[in-house]
Amino acid sequence: MSDVVVLDYGSGNLRSAERALAAAGASVRVTDDLAAAAAADGLVVPGVGAYAACMAGLDALGAGPVVAERVAAGRPVLGICVGMQVLFEYGEEHGVVTKGLGLLPGGVTRLAAARLPHMGWNTVRAAPGSVLFAGLSAESRFYFVHSYAMGDPAALAAAGATVTTAHHDTDFVAAVERGPLSAAQFHPEKSADTGAALLRNWLATLPSGD
């Protein structure tokens, strides 16, 4: 059974993520202990609300270097919702640009959509060879709640990432996989059976997940 830490930096659906991961077969802890976050088989970075507030929480905890060091060492990290967004170089909200962790190229900006937030169930176009979406049908639906996203899938793919997209008036990055780093703009922990299947796929990539 894989040991997974859900990072508690003051933001995120911590308990729902904990329950979903446990149901998917992981041994899960919710903690702000950076040593535990560094040592775990898998680290989950959740996030809800404003980009700047999430970055402030990560910075206050000193968690950025731990996440970066895990990725550099090839150790699995999963970002969820704003926890995905902070992995990029920056986020722009209400004209304010906030520096992100810079582990993925590009930035997060407001969706060019008539109706925001993009909230509810939506399908995705999984990239060929995706590990996260292995075994899931093209009709699989996931639960989204957001007004901002990484909106340049082609640029991210050009940087060597496996990019899954969704559409809400415009295409945006719904999930990304690059080496040990995986991330989802939607909430797998709120996405019923399809979300559970995606979490199991991620857990299977962990050192103790086989």
Side-chain angles (χ1 to χ4, degrees):
M1 181 178 288
S2 298
D3 169 38
V4 174
V5 161
V6 177
L7 185 63
D8 182 1
Y9 63 96
S11 176
N13 295 307
L14 302 175
R15 297 305 169 186
S16 56
E18 178 186 32
R19 289 191 296 270
L21 286 158
S27 172
V28 192
R29 288 177 290 167
V30 175
T31 182
D32 62 359
D33 183 341
L34 295 181
D41 296 325
L43 175 65
V44 174
V45 181
V48 296
Y51 189 106
C54 287
M55 277 306 306
L58 288 167
D59 288 342
L61 185 61
V66 172
V67 178
E69 287 163 11
R70 283 190 64 96
V71 172
R75 311 203 60 213
V77 173
L78 174 66
I80 295 175
C81 197
V82 185
M84 167 181 171
Q85 295 179 0
V86 296
L87 300 172
F88 288 92
E89 293 171 321
Y90 68 90
E92 181 177 354
E93 294 181 345
H94 309 296
V96 176
V97 177
T98 302
K99 183 179 179 182
L101 297 179
L103 300 175
L104 292 170
V108 172
T109 57
R110 187 176 176 88
L111 280 171
R115 188 183 75 255
L116 291 175
H118 171 218
M119 181 167 64
W121 297 86
N122 201 351
T123 56
V124 303
R125 293 187 295 275
S130 168
V131 173
L132 289 180
F133 296 90
L136 290 170
S137 76
E139 290 75 37
S140 296
R141 299 171 72 83
F142 298 88
Y143 190 79
F144 291 83
V145 184
H146 65 117
S147 296
Y148 298 83
M150 201 290 181
D152 193 350
L156 191 53
T162 298
V163 182
T164 291
T165 62
H167 189 84
H168 180 66
D169 289 352
T170 186
D171 287 344
F172 65 89
V173 177
V176 60
E177 301 160 64
R178 190 168 76 166
L181 189 58
S182 303
Q185 178 60 66
F186 52 83
H187 287 276
E189 78 280 9
K190 295 182 178 181
S191 296
D193 291 345
T194 53
L198 182 141
L199 290 176
R200 287 194 297 270
N201 284 342
W202 180 69
L203 290 174
T205 71
L206 271 52
S208 299
D210 51 18

